[in-house]
């Protein structure tokens, strides 16, 4: 008879989201993610919203196990609810939410029952922009641009070269689209239905999904094994 | 209020709808030595009278730092005050660990009040016999709260608790309209003068009082004895200079106008200073 406790631990993820990419721009934070939920190697779900506003000041993007992301949203819902119930002029900002999530993620990792996610948290409070990341083992940090999963390898080099402090909204979106396009070409779990979301001091908007234009007429694609024949 | 058949238990109501044990606990606060708090828009000052039991002993600690942005002054059973301070420190640290952010004062005060309320509704407990003046800063500004043994809490611009606090309250009531715009130095001066009011003629020295400040960009800290003595000397010197002129004119009780605070204050202070000198304790000679 297997012990009941064992069956309650997270062992591996089932339905997963791929990368999230985010950057600070002039007025706040811009975040992008596709709407795909993969079931192993099958691109099974195509309308999963992986960017969600939390409270007045924060935007949360998740990659990894979707059911764990939904659980996290429930934890945060309760947190924000109790915060609002005080009704006292104080509110939790992005830094506080990030710190809280770090505690939760690290705590679960210590119990060998992780929430299998990499989370991106961005927001603006009292004029201060904040962008951070926390993953399933509790590693967390803040930066001017962050990404999860393959985004770290494909998108961040682009951002390191092309990011600056004073990006306008349009420039920020173009930069994010450039990163998402590379991910679309190179990440096999990416899906061509992208959502971008922005958060500023005043409000938070998750834009409707759109598709990126791709180009497949490179001559190398026409005869991919041309180099092999030369051997 | 004294000796009746409904006051044995905190969980027994009197026919008039009173909980006598809670009221007796508030009496304990009134017996403690005075503690005073005042706030401006950017600073909060706490001051208290520290009377040692005898010349041989040191005085009891009545002001506690709870966090960089919160401090508390107590009056009443100091042991109860110590325990509650420990609770407050623990709450602040826990919040800071989870959220990497300072605990808003208003929330700490509510947690404290709820803790006190529990003791008014359990037959096996007694109410805390200490009143706390909680001073702190958060996002919504500078705050001063008073927490009662009853579990109630109130926010104040200025307040005084403990024995002979009425004298301090009278002084503060006259002046509190200006506190919001006061500078840090004026606020501390007002706190010291209010403290002196509770001494009923005894000379104010830094050895018998403690002053603490918290403000924007200034973490909560207790001022050291020398600084306090210098501040006392500064306004007492001015009030001694005023003594001849004060005696030739009737002292003005009220401020002449909003901006006239210092001269009126020194006028009133001069009277106190003169009286204090004449009634000085033998060892001052």
């Amino acid at each position: 008879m297997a012990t009941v406790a064992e069956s309650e631990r997270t062992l591996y993820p089932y339905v997963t989201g791929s990368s999230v990419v985010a950057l600070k721009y002039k007025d706040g934070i811009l975040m992008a993610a596709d709407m795909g939920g993969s079931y192993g190697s099958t691109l099974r779900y195509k309308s999963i919203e992986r960017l969600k506003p939390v409270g007045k000041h924060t935007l949360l993007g998740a990659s990894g196990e979707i059911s764990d992301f939904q659980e996290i949203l429930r934890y945060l819902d309760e947190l924000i609810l109790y915060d609002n119930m005080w009704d006292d002029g104080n509110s939790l900002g992005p830094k506080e939410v990030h710190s809280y999530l770090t505690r939760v993620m690290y705590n679960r990792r210590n119990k060998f029952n992780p929430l299998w996610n990499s989370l991106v948290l961005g927001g603006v409070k009292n004029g201060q922009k904040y962008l951070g990341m926390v993953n399933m083992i509790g590693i967390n940090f803040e930066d001017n641009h962050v990404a999860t999963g393959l985004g770290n390898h494909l998108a961040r080099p682009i951002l390191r070269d092309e990011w600056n402090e004073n990006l306008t909204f349009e420039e920020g979106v173009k930069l994010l689209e450039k990163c998402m396009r590379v991910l679309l070409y190179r990440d096999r779990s990416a899906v061509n239905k992208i959502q971008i979301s922005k958060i500023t001091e005043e409000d938070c908007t998750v834009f409707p999904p759109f598709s990126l234009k791709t180009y497949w007429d490179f001559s190398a694609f026409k005869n991919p094994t041309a180099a092999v024949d030369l051997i | 209020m004294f000796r009746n058949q409904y006051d044995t238990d905190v969980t027994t109501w009197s026919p008039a709808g009173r909980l006598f044990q809670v009221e007796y606990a508030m009496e304990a606060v009134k017996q403690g030595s005075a503690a005073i708090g005042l706030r401006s828009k950017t600073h909060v000052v706490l001051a208290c009278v520290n009377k040692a039991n005898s010349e041989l002993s040191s005085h009891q600690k009545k002001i506690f730092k709870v966090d960089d942005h919160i401090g508390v002054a107590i009056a009443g059973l100091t042991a109860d005050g110590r325990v509650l301070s420990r609770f407050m420190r623990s709450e602040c640290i826990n919040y800071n660990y989870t959220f990497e952010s300072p605990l808003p004062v208003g929330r700490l005060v509510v947690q404290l009040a709820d803790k006190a309320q529990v003791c008014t509704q359990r037959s096996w407990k007694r109410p805390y016999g200490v009143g706390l003046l909680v001073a702190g800063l958060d996002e919504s500004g500078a705050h001063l709260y008073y927490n009662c043994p009853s579990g109630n809490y109130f926010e104040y611009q200025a307040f005084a608790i403990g024995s002979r606090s009425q004298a301090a309250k009278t002084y503060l009531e006259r002046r509190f309209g200006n506190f919001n715009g006061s500078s840090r130095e004026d606020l501390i001066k007002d706190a010291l003068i209010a403290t002196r009011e509770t001494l009923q003629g005894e000379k104010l020295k830094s050895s018998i009082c403690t002053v603490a400040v918290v403000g924007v960009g200034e973490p909560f800290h207790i001022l050291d004895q020398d600084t306090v003595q210098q501040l006392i000397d500064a306004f007492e010197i001015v009030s001694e200079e005023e003594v001849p002129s004060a005696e030739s004119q009737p002292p003005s009780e009220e401020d002449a106008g909003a901006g006239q605070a210092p001269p009126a204050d020194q006028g009133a202070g001069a009277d106190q200073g003169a009286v204090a000198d004449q009634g000085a304790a033998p060892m001052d000679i």
Side-chain angles (χ1 to χ4, degrees):
Chain A
M1 279 255 277
T3 49
V4 176
E6 281 298 319
S7 66
E8 285 176 9
R9 286 199 296 121
T10 300
L11 297 169
Y12 24 74
Y14 284 88
V15 179
T16 55
S18 77
S19 318
V20 179
V21 188
L23 46 80
K24 284 188 193 167
Y25 77 107
K26 196 162 52 85
D27 304 325
I29 312 289
L30 277 170
M31 214 181 274
D34 66 32
M35 296 190 78
S38 308
Y39 186 62
S41 53
T42 313
L43 299 179
R44 185 155 173 201
Y45 302 104
K46 310 262 179 85
S47 293
I48 300 201
E49 284 200 21
R50 299 196 287 118
L51 305 174
K52 291 282 187 188
V54 169
K56 281 192 299 249
H57 306 284
T58 317
L59 187 55
L60 176 65
S63 66
E65 172 61 56
I66 299 298
S67 64
D68 282 347
F69 176 49
Q70 291 169 348
E71 178 88 345
I72 286 169
L73 289 175
R74 271 199 295 278
Y75 282 148
L76 290 179
D77 239 355
E78 198 180 317
L79 183 72
I80 299 292
L81 179 71
Y82 281 112
D83 190 43
N84 289 340
M85 270 164 56
W86 283 103
D87 198 20
D88 65 350
N90 293 301
S91 56
L92 294 170
K95 181 180 165 126
E96 286 81 26
V97 178
H98 187 208
S99 195
Y100 172 78
L101 277 179
T102 305
R103 293 288 118 239
V104 170
M105 303 297 271
Y106 185 63
N107 200 257
R108 293 284 298 250
R109 164 261 197 204
N110 285 340
K111 296 197 276 199
F112 281 91
N113 186 16
L115 290 159
W116 207 287
N117 295 107
S118 286
L119 305 165
V120 172
L121 236 127
V124 195
K125 191 167 176 224
N126 297 335
Q128 296 267 50
K129 299 191 280 258
Y130 186 90
L131 182 59
M133 209 204 82
V134 58
N135 70 5
M136 66 189 252
I137 55 176
I139 292 186
N140 70 298
F141 53 86
E142 262 187 80
D143 208 340
N144 293 320
H145 45 80
V146 295
T148 66
L150 247 65
N152 272 310
H153 300 101
L154 298 172
R156 295 218 49 211
I158 301 175
L159 292 168
R160 279 183 209 119
D161 277 344
E162 303 188 21
W163 181 87
N164 70 71
E165 261 190 43
N166 299 311
L167 292 168
T168 63
F169 175 71
E170 289 74 25
E171 289 170 346
V173 170
K174 257 183 89 181
L175 194 46
L176 278 181
E177 283 182 3
K178 184 169 182 181
C179 295
M180 297 308 283
R181 184 171 290 109
V182 172
L183 284 166
L184 182 59
Y185 281 130
R186 296 290 175 180
D187 181 359
R188 68 109 183 254
S189 52
V191 140
N192 197 359
K193 197 168 164 193
I194 317 284
Q195 262 194 323
I196 291 197
S197 144
K198 82 163 162 82
I199 183 163
T200 61
E201 181 84 57
E202 293 81 42
D203 61 13
C204 176
T205 325
V206 180
F207 294 105
F210 63 95
S211 294
L212 290 167
K213 289 202 179 50
T214 53
Y215 181 73
W216 297 98
D217 286 330
F218 291 107
S219 58
F221 294 162
K222 296 202 167 61
N223 193 5
T225 56
V228 177
D229 294 337
L230 293 172
I231 296 169
Chain B
M1 162 125 266
F2 311 111
R3 279 273 128 250
N4 56 60
Q5 51 180 162
Y6 303 107
D7 67 355
T8 320
D9 234 285
V10 74
T11 52
T12 305
W13 289 99
S14 83
R18 295 159 70 169
L19 289 170
F20 282 109
Q21 280 297 307
V22 176
E23 294 185 21
Y24 296 164
M26 318 253 267
E27 276 301 303
V29 177
K30 295 184 200 165
Q31 301 301 326
S33 54
I36 290 144
L38 327 70
R39 79 167 152 99
S40 72
K41 207 145 175 249
T42 53
H43 289 80
V44 193
V45 177
L46 293 173
C48 65
V49 170
N50 288 118
K51 287 291 186 58
N53 275 338
S54 81
E55 282 174 34
L56 298 168
S57 77
S58 64
H59 57 73
Q60 284 198 308
K61 192 163 169 192
K62 283 169 46 92
I63 295 190
F64 298 90
K65 175 170 175 167
V66 167
D67 201 341
D68 284 336
H69 66 299
I70 301 183
V72 63
I74 62 173
L77 267 53
T78 30
D80 284 0
R82 227 178 31 247
V83 159
L84 288 177
S85 303
R86 187 161 53 228
F87 167 74
M88 291 166 78
R89 285 172 177 165
S90 157
E91 289 298 300
C92 281
I93 277 187
N94 286 340
Y95 187 90
N96 210 320
Y97 178 70
T98 309
F99 297 104
E100 268 183 70
S101 192
L103 175 57
V105 202
R107 298 187 185 190
L108 177 61
V109 158
V110 172
Q111 283 172 275
L112 192 54
D114 289 345
K115 192 172 163 70
Q117 191 278 343
V118 169
C119 299
T120 67
Q121 213 175 3
R122 307 276 184 273
S123 59
W124 62 90
K125 287 183 182 247
R126 64 154 177 85
Y128 288 104
V130 63
L132 301 108
L133 282 173
V134 183
L137 238 60
D138 61 26
E139 251 183 20
S140 43
H143 299 279
L144 175 69
Y145 291 92
Y146 170 53
N147 277 73
C148 286
S150 61
N152 275 330
Y153 66 96
F154 308 93
E155 183 160 13
Y156 286 95
Q157 184 77 47
F159 199 51
I161 56 177
S163 70
R164 294 197 280 256
S165 58
Q166 190 50 53
K169 270 191 263 190
T170 312
Y171 173 77
L172 294 169
E173 272 166 27
R174 276 190 273 131
R175 308 276 321 250
F176 77 92
N178 297 327
F179 287 164
N180 235 359
S182 272
S183 70
R184 176 184 181 276
E185 285 61 40
D186 283 340
L187 209 64
I188 298 178
K189 192 172 79 169
D190 278 321
L192 285 165
I193 295 175
T195 311
R196 191 177 55 188
E197 300 287 314
T198 69
L199 293 172
Q200 305 286 45
E202 196 186 325
K203 190 164 165 64
L204 178 66
K205 291 182 292 214
S206 65
S207 54
I208 55 164
C209 72
T210 311
V211 181
V213 188
V214 63
V216 175
E218 186 180 354
F220 184 89
H221 64 287
I222 298 178
L223 302 180
D224 68 273
Q225 295 271 57
D226 295 328
T227 315
V228 177
Q229 190 60 50
Q230 280 170 21
L231 289 161
I232 295 174
D233 293 338
F235 70 77
E236 292 215 325
I237 285 172
V238 182
S239 65
E240 278 167 24
E241 283 170 3
E242 293 278 314
V243 167
S245 50
E247 282 173 347
S248 57
Q249 326 150 347
S252 49
E253 280 296 311
E254 292 304 319
D255 303 339
Q260 298 307 308
D265 161 38
Q266 282 152 20
D271 288 330
Q272 292 283 6
V275 169
D277 279 347
Q278 284 153 24
M283 45 189 142
D284 283 351
I285 296 168

